[in-house]
């Protein structure tokens, strides 16, 4: 099976490729506007077909031993390793992200996640057996939930597909994944890799369709027991609303507006470099990217100057060029949305650098055919302004000063979001206070962005609930059953007298 041959169609159901019954859709390379693939989108009938396939595969897969599921995931990690170069190339083609990011972050991160869950599959643990009542032995089973409907985003198509699929199938569930129609190709490759690894047909299915058609039908489907969604908070509310109609379990990883808090004793050079990397990763199209830098007044001017200087040296260009630092945004529509935030901000703030689409790349190449946008630094915005409160999802960093530690932490928490944050300081007491008081699912100290398979990822507040990665993620995809055995062999129990008869 050639993982990169999409000619058979963009639906993967019960181990077979098929064409969609819906409208045609072009997957476009945002670097130059060329068509990567033309696909036909899924109909609601094909969603039903995928759910039926997942339901049919559930008894065999959930009944497999943890060891058997672990071995299958170990084989999957090997298949993905062999396909690493193709996965990176296709990921870059459909998203526009630099090839060095696909090669060094997205693909190896996905392989590592696969290897992690291969091990985690053998550790579905519950409370040990014990006689808690004195007359009974109790223990806890962790069991699969059923068919999981997963909806993944366009910013990290391969990694997010893996984050959805891996813990679900490691726990014995089966999955129907709906990737973003903008970027479905590596999700399809991942599903095909599952088949090559010997994972039974129907365990992992992919329906490539529009959110309002295939996505909403999947989320509301009566045979789907759990919904896992990553995307904007606004769409997450709609997903929760639809899932409520059939009382599904939901897992929502939603928007972010990560604060980057720099105290006056921080290593300035480290903070400047960290802010540039954390704000520009994946073109800023990352829900954990640094978007709001709060810098204590003694370091504020030097921080702004340092970030502006490094922004000016960022190499924009062909994402397949390994020297390119920043590729295009995912689409021209999204580039225009990001630009709209910046243009409106000119009326109340200062655009220090950037704020425009480039004409030429670092090597002199023409970038006007792509959805490029320069790294943009903004100062002078009010805390309640759109550019500070709204999720821009692009290469835009807003810097604001603060005076006291109390003020800095208050400002960091002053948004509806709570996905990620960082604190920069050389003082252990400041760092402990920041990690304790910042309301976010992840708080880094003197760094911002690194993730590891062993640790959970998920938010507070309007950033959603539930965890990706780690053992905590595996637990999300299980249901807990209490099993209780009578140990007395007494027919007429004393507690019966609380219901009928006398003692």
């Amino acid at each position: 099976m050639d993982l990169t041959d999409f000619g058979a169609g963009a639906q993967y159901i019960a181990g077979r490729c098929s064409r969609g019954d819906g409208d045609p859709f072009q997957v476009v390379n945002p670097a130059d506007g060329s068509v990567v693939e033309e696909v036909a989108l899924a109909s609601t009938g094909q969603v039903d077909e995928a759910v039926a396939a997942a339901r049919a595969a559930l008894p065999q897969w959930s009944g497999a031993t943890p060891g058997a599921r672990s071995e299958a995931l170990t084989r999957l990690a090997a298949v993905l390793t062999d396909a690493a170069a193709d996965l990176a190339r296709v990921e870059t083609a459909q998203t526009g992200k630099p090839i060095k990011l696909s090669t060094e972050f997205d693909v190896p991160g996905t392989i590592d996640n696969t290897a992690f869950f291969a091990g985690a599959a053998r550790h579905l643990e519950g409370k040990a057996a014990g006689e808690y009542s004195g007359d009974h032995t109790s223990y806890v089973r962790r069991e699969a939930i059923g068919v999981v409907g997963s909806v993944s985003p366009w910013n990290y198509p391969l990694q997010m597909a893996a984050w959805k699929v891996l813990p679900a199938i490691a726990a014995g569930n089966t999955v129907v994944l709906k990737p973003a129609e903008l970027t479905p190709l590596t999700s399809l490759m991942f599903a095909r890799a599952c088949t090559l690894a010997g994972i039974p047909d129907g365990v992992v299915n992919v329906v490539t369709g529009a959110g309002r058609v295939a996505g909403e039908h999947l989320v509301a489907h009566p045979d789907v027991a759990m919904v896992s969604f990553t995307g904007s908070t606004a769409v997450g509310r709609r997903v929760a609303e639809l899932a409520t109609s059939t009382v599904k379990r939901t897992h929502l990883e939603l928007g972010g507006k990560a604060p980057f808090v720099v105290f006056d004793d921080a290593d300035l050079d480290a903070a400047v470099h960290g802010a540039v990397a954390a704000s520009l990763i994946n073109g800023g199209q990352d829900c954990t990217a640094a978007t709001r830098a709060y810098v204590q007044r003694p370091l504020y001017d030097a921080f702004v100057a340092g970030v502006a200087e490094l922004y000016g040296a960022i190499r924009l260009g062909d994402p397949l060029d390994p020297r390119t630092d920043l590729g295009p945004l995912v689409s021209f529509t999204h580039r225009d949305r990001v630009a709209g935030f910046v243009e409106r901000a000119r009326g109340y703030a200062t655009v220090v650098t950037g704020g425009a689409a480039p004409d030429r790349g670092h090597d002199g190449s023409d970038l006007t055919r792509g959805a490029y946008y320069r790294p943009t630094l903004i100062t002078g915005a009010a805390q309640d302004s759109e550019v500070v409160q709204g999720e821009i999802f692009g290469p835009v960093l807003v810097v604001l000063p603060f005076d006291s530690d109390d003020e800095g932490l208050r400002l960091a928490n002053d948004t509806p979001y709570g996905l990620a944050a960082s604190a920069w300081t050389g003082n252990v007491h400041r760092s402990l206070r920041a990690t304790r008081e910042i309301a976010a699912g992840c708080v880094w100290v003197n760094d911002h962005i690194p993730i590891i398979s062993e640790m959970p990822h998920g938010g507070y507040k309007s950033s959603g609930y539930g965890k990706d990665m780690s053992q905590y993620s595996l637990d999300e995809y299980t249901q807990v059953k209490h099993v209780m055995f009578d140990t007395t062999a007494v027919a007429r129990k004393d507690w019966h007298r609380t219901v009928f008869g006398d003692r």
Side-chain angles (χ1 to χ4, degrees):
M1 181 187 297
D2 181 0
L3 298 185
T4 63
D5 180 6
F6 304 105
Q11 316 307 322
Y12 196 73
I13 300 171
R16 293 179 295 279
C17 298
S18 61
R19 298 185 184 278
D21 295 334
D23 295 334
F25 187 86
Q26 292 182 336
V27 178
V28 173
N29 185 335
D32 57 14
S34 63
V35 176
V36 181
E37 289 289 339
E38 184 165 305
V39 302
L41 299 180
S43 65
T44 56
Q46 287 177 305
V47 174
D48 292 339
E49 183 185 345
V51 172
R55 189 177 181 187
L58 182 64
Q60 176 192 359
W61 185 248
S62 64
T65 65
R69 293 197 293 267
S70 174
E71 289 171 3
L73 288 172
T74 298
R75 294 193 300 270
L76 176 59
V79 172
L80 295 172
T81 299
D82 290 342
D86 285 338
L87 287 164
R89 177 179 54 79
V90 175
E91 192 78 330
T92 287
Q94 68 178 351
T95 64
K97 65 179 65 190
I99 191 66
K100 65 181 179 180
L101 185 67
S102 296
T103 301
E104 299 178 30
F105 183 75
D106 296 60
V107 174
T110 300
I111 294 169
D112 186 71
N113 260 249
T114 307
F116 172 81
F117 281 109
R122 304 184 80 128
H123 295 282
L124 288 173
E125 297 179 347
K127 185 173 287 188
E131 286 69 48
Y132 298 98
S133 76
D135 293 335
H136 305 83
T137 295
S138 290
Y139 68 87
V140 169
R141 291 175 56 89
R142 281 196 175 271
E143 298 181 347
I145 296 170
V147 177
V148 178
S150 295
V151 181
S152 57
W154 49 255
N155 57 335
Y156 290 100
L158 177 63
Q159 282 208 84
M160 296 297 102
W163 285 15
K164 299 297 182 195
V165 170
L166 292 169
I169 66 173
N173 302 282
T174 56
V175 176
V176 178
L177 172 72
K178 194 210 84 67
E181 59 267 34
L182 287 176
T183 56
L185 303 181
T186 49
S187 297
L188 289 163
M189 293 173 70
F190 186 86
R192 293 174 179 181
C194 290
T195 298
L196 286 177
I199 294 172
D201 294 345
V203 173
V204 178
N205 309 274
V206 176
V207 287
T208 300
R212 291 191 178 276
V213 179
E216 293 202 356
H217 192 69
L218 176 63
V219 169
H221 201 289
D223 290 334
V224 170
M226 175 180 174
V227 171
S228 178
F229 170 81
T230 295
S232 71
T233 297
V235 178
R237 292 191 186 99
R238 175 63 175 161
V239 168
E241 176 187 332
L242 290 168
T244 299
S245 66
T246 49
V247 200
K248 301 182 195 305
R249 185 182 297 197
T250 54
H251 172 192
L252 304 176
E253 198 268 273
L254 307 178
K257 191 69 179 176
F260 187 101
V261 184
V262 182
F263 294 98
D264 58 14
D265 65 340
D267 181 323
L268 178 63
D269 190 49
V272 166
H273 280 78
V276 171
S279 61
L280 298 185
I281 185 170
N282 204 38
Q285 300 166 126
D286 185 312
C287 49
T288 63
T291 59
R292 302 176 288 138
Y294 296 101
V295 184
Q296 207 152 22
R297 192 111 23 204
L299 296 185
Y300 177 80
D301 290 339
F303 180 89
V304 169
V307 171
E309 181 181 0
L310 283 183
Y311 269 11
I314 294 297
R315 297 169 298 189
L316 289 86
D318 179 357
L320 288 174
D321 181 345
R323 297 172 299 166
T324 293
D325 300 321
L326 189 65
L329 299 183
V330 73
S331 69
F332 297 91
T333 299
H334 186 61
R335 193 268 306 276
D336 293 344
R337 178 184 176 276
V338 170
F341 274 94
V342 176
E343 291 309 306
R344 292 188 294 274
R346 293 185 193 276
Y348 55 80
T350 300
V351 177
V352 176
T353 188
D359 294 327
R360 298 287 171 185
H362 64 87
D363 59 354
S365 57
D366 180 11
L367 300 185
T368 58
R369 293 183 300 143
Y372 291 87
Y373 199 75
R374 292 189 183 280
T376 300
L377 181 63
I378 296 175
T379 61
Q383 175 67 13
D384 62 356
S385 63
E386 178 191 48
V387 79
V388 174
Q389 294 293 325
E391 189 176 24
I392 301 171
F393 224 57
V396 180
L397 178 65
V398 185
V399 186
L400 299 89
F402 70 92
D403 291 304
S404 68
D405 289 15
D406 288 347
E407 181 189 17
L409 295 174
R410 177 181 61 79
L411 292 171
N413 282 327
D414 184 27
T415 72
Y417 300 107
L419 186 58
S422 63
W424 297 74
T425 177
N427 184 299
V428 66
H429 301 292
R430 267 179 163 164
S431 66
L432 288 171
R433 182 187 178 190
T435 56
R436 182 175 65 250
E437 295 187 11
I438 293 177
C442 175
V443 182
W444 292 281
V445 177
N446 296 329
D447 209 342
H448 192 119
I449 285 296
I451 54 175
I452 49 175
S453 297
E454 291 82 359
M455 288 291 121
H457 172 87
Y460 285 20
K461 303 190 291 184
S462 290
S463 290
Y465 48 83
K467 300 299 179 185
D468 291 313
M469 301 194 298
S470 79
Q471 184 71 33
Y472 295 98
S473 176
L474 189 69
D475 294 347
E476 294 277 340
Y477 291 91
T478 63
Q479 49 192 353
V480 173
K481 177 185 288 183
H482 170 214
V483 179
M484 196 174 199
F485 290 87
D486 171 63
T487 60
T488 66
V490 173
R492 300 182 180 185
K493 295 180 171 57
D494 189 54
W495 77 263
H496 294 172
R497 305 289 78 79
T498 65
V499 181
F500 69 95
D502 299 319
R503 282 190 171 83

